[in-house]
Amino acid sequence: MPGSLRIAIIGGGIGGLTAALALRARGLDVAVFEQAEVLREIGAGVSIYANAARLLKRVRLDDQLEKIGSPISGVTLRTSLGEPITTPSGPATPAFSKGSQGYNVHRADFLNVLFNALPKGTVTLGHRCIQLNQDGGGVRLSFANGAAAEADVVIGADGIHSVVQREIGLQSRPTSEGMMAYRGLIPAERLAWASDLKDPTLWLGSGRSFLLYPVARGRLINMVAFVPTDTDSEESWSAPGELKALAAEYVGWDKPVQDTINALDETFRWGIYDRASLPYWSNGRIALMGDAAHPMVPHVGQGAGQAIEDGFTLAVLLEGCTTGNVADRLTLYETLRLERTRKVQALARAAGKLYRSEHQNPSERAERMREWMAQGKWVFEHDAERAATDALSSLGH
Ligand SMILES: Cc1cc2nc3c(=O)[nH]c(=O)nc-3n(C[C@H](O)[C@H](O)[C@H](O)COP(=O)(O)OP(=O)(O)OC[C@H]3O[C@@H](n4cnc5c(N)ncnc54)[C@H](O)[C@@H]3O)c2cc1C
């Protein structure tokens, strides 16, 4: 695309790839640089709620999402012994009303869909960015393999240990939430009741919880088991966990919880860490997105969703942009997205506190869940593209 702005994205995760798709859909010239030599994913699910799914549908990924995703119509909450607290059709889940469809997907399936939707050559693998130098003429990117590239705009989609964050003078420090999660995937045929599990089900016990949801159109069941920890667990997505230790955490819980743990071949440990919101996300021609900009605890399933919103916002704001006004547009992006993601970060923190609270009384818990779900409706109803378009037109563009 001669003459158009050259945009480089550092990081080919969910955030970087969706940003590339959204930017290309508006005719922009994008190159993604990913450090991994091959695209690989751990066996785990990820939620794409309505706020993100509606954006993906606009770049024609609806058929693909239908093919790989398990639709979410609500959440079922149960006590540790299996007594229902809410059901998907109950009043506690207003966010999932008709027309606001989300999906649970296997991370590897989803990344493949995103990668294959981009033209060949858009993503360059094996390129770990180590340094950025910007001047009036653009940004020079240096990679660990000795390669270099030039761009007019650089988007840092390089996750929680972001190099781009450091390059624009920021540093974010992780604080343990005092929780860790065991994760795993189980073939559905191993669980007699799996075909009845259509929506996410969350069992809430004293100080801990247990989440199951189907992915891969119900072929696999995704487990995330949140337990307290007083040691600083590794902040890893893929550290191996012990099945015996996991089982010991859920002695006496509802039968599906026990069945699931018994059916696992392996489990991963995931230390849950929180980080304070960053004071800014952009500097000149460089901006952050996704986990590099707003890492959050996972309790409202919005890590991927907020990254997807960032990408679509950037696409609206960078369309028709020139090298002369790119820094202003990135400042507008920061203004639009910082406030919203700060609110989502705060909601996720509050949800985490509720999930691990010591409340055993189901009706009291149901009431508190109803309160936060009613509060959380704004998360799922937001249209990031429209918000960006409105912001531009309010400035006369
Ligand atoms: C394996 C895994 C499991 C997850 N599970 C959950 C979950 O269960 N629930 C939840 O809420 N969130 C989860 N998350 C987080 C969630 O996926 C993210 O919040 C969301 O996808 C946004 O991610 P991102 O693209 O900003 O960053 P990431 O998904 O972390 O992607 C960053 C990408 O940048 C690449 N990269 C990093 N540094 C460099 C560099 N210097 N140069 C080039 N490339 C670089 C990385 O290899 C990676 O591909 C998980 C993330 C991962 C990676």
Side-chain angles (χ1 to χ4, degrees), residues 262-326:
N262 291 334
L264 281 166
D265 289 328
E266 60 178 350
T267 183
F268 302 105
R269 289 163 56 91
W270 173 23
I272 311 290
Y273 284 79
D274 198 2
R275 288 171 169 80
S277 301
L278 294 172
Y280 61 91
W281 293 1
S282 70
N283 179 349
R285 294 159 177 263
I286 306 173
L288 302 172
M289 66 168 293
D291 281 5
H294 45 71
M296 56 184 72
V297 288
H299 309 297
V300 288
Q302 280 292 322
Q306 292 306 306
I308 292 167
E309 287 190 9
D310 292 341
F312 280 80
T313 305
L314 280 165
V316 173
L317 299 180
L318 292 179
E319 187 180 11
C321 191
T322 62
T323 50
N325 65 358
V326 75

Side-chain angles (χ1 to χ4, degrees), residues 10-16 33-36 41-42 44-46 107 127-130 157-161 163 183 213 224 237 270 289-292 297-298 301-304 307:
I10 312 294
I14 293 174
F33 297 96
E34 164 59 42
Q35 66 181 0
E41 255 299 329
I42 66 155
V46 64
R107 295 183 62 91
H127 276 55
R128 181 163 63 86
C129 180
I130 51 171
D158 52 344
I160 49 175
H161 304 296
V163 165
R183 298 151 59 112
Y213 58 78
V224 193
W237 307 108
W270 173 23
M289 66 168 293
D291 281 5
V297 288
Q302 280 292 322

Side-chain angles (χ1 to χ4, degrees), residues 179 203-209 226-228 249-250 253 355-356:
M179 299 295 287
W203 283 261
L204 296 163
S206 185
R208 69 201 61 216
S209 57
F226 292 97
V227 301
E249 298 279 359
Y250 292 93
W253 280 49
Y355 292 163
R356 63 181 180 270

